[in-house]
Structures are given as structure tokens and as C-alpha cells.
Amino acid sequence: MNKYNETFGVDISKDVFDVHGSKEGHNQYKNDESGFKKLLRELPDNSLVVMEATGYYHYRLAPFLYKNGVIVSVVNPLSIKRFIQMKLAKVKTDKSDAKAICEYALINEVPLYNSLTDTQSECLQLFRLLDTYLKQRTATKNKMHGEEVLGLPS
């Protein structure tokens, strides 16, 4: 038995996010502060909002909802992908993905989200940036070595 009044699945993209409620059905919002506030106003009390960990796109919505007292879950996208594959779904749209995330949350126990502090968020961004720079450095060194091995100036 679901202990929430309603469960919402969210599929986030760059400009918009699709929301499917277990009772209310589908809706779409802008992926910005105004869209976040509109969703917050429309959420019933004691709702669960479930979304995929989608790179950068969920990093603004999840903390916003969490800080405003909404119960949030961020799920591994591979779990959702496998769930959709098990259902043999042939249609793949943002709307259908939001519905699948909602169905996944109704059937499975999803982990509850805890927002990072501002300091933790900043550290995470810095570590990701450092990782990017290290990968670029390695790629550049490998490229230089490859050119050197050719023995001919390019």
C-alpha cells in the first residue's frame, strides 16, 4: 500500500519537465524557477515526487522541492530503463517516461532524497571540474605522444 496521497513521476529535459501523477495524469512545466514554483503550488500534501538522476537537469528541481518540504526521490536511470524494457514499451517520449517513472515508484520502494548543503554542492562541482581537466590533460598527452611517435612534423 502506498503511504503517499499521490505519487508523481518526473522526466526532466533541458527546457521542460514532464510530470505524471498517479491520480492527476500528465502535465508539463518550464525547467526554470517559475515552472518549479508552479509545480510546487499544484502538488497535493504528502506527495512523493520521483525523478531520474539525469546528469545536471535534476540538480535544481530536486533540492528546490526538498527545501520546500516535498518528499523527493532520485532514482538511478538504469533502473527506470530496465523497468521500461521489462514492460516491452514501444513508445519512448518524455510523457511516457514520466508515466513509467510514476509506475516504477508505485511498485518499488524508492530511496528518499537528502539535499546536499551549498558547500557540498560546490565541492562536488569542483571535483567534477578537476576530473574533466585531468581527462583532458591525459588525452592531450596521449595525442602529443602519438604525434611524436610518427617522427614526422605535422
Side-chain angles (χ1 to χ4, degrees):
M1 179 70 191
N2 197 335
K3 58 187 172 188
Y4 304 103
N5 291 339
E6 187 162 6
T7 299
F8 293 88
V10 178
D11 185 71
I12 307 173
S13 60
K14 179 183 170 197
D15 298 321
V16 296
F17 60 97
D18 290 83
V19 177
H20 183 87
S22 54
K23 296 175 186 171
E24 290 189 13
H26 178 262
N27 211 335
Q28 190 176 72
Y29 303 89
K30 288 183 185 176
N31 190 1
D32 62 15
E33 193 79 20
S34 68
F36 298 169
K37 288 178 180 176
K38 185 176 180 189
L39 171 64
L40 185 62
R41 283 192 304 271
E42 295 175 5
L43 284 176
D45 290 339
N46 193 35
S47 293
L48 172 64
V49 177
V50 183
M51 62 190 77
E52 292 177 304
T54 55
Y56 295 101
Y57 296 134
H58 79 279
Y59 281 125
R60 289 186 19 208
L61 179 59
F64 174 85
L65 293 173
Y66 180 84
K67 289 174 184 171
N68 282 283
V70 177
I71 303 163
V72 179
S73 176
V74 178
V75 179
N76 184 329
L78 185 59
S79 299
I80 302 296
K81 181 179 181 180
R82 296 289 185 251
F83 178 75
I84 292 170
Q85 287 173 339
M86 283 179 20
K87 291 176 50 181
L88 303 174
K90 293 181 178 166
V91 177
K92 174 123 174 56
T93 63
D94 293 343
K95 182 178 179 179
S96 67
D97 284 354
K99 184 177 181 183
I101 293 168
C102 178
E103 291 171 354
Y104 177 87
L106 290 170
I107 295 171
N108 298 285
E109 180 118 5
V110 293
L112 296 184
Y113 173 79
N114 286 314
S115 184
L116 298 175
T117 65
D118 291 341
T119 303
Q120 289 171 324
S121 261
E122 187 177 357
C123 286
L124 184 60
Q125 286 178 332
L126 289 171
F127 279 123
R128 285 193 179 127
L129 185 61
L130 179 62
D131 186 52
T132 299
Y133 287 156
L134 288 172
K135 286 178 181 173
Q136 288 174 347
R137 176 179 164 240
T138 302
T140 303
K141 279 182 160 183
N142 290 343
K143 178 72 175 160
M144 289 171 60
H145 178 69
E147 292 295 328
E148 197 175 290
V149 168
L150 288 176
L152 300 171
S154 59

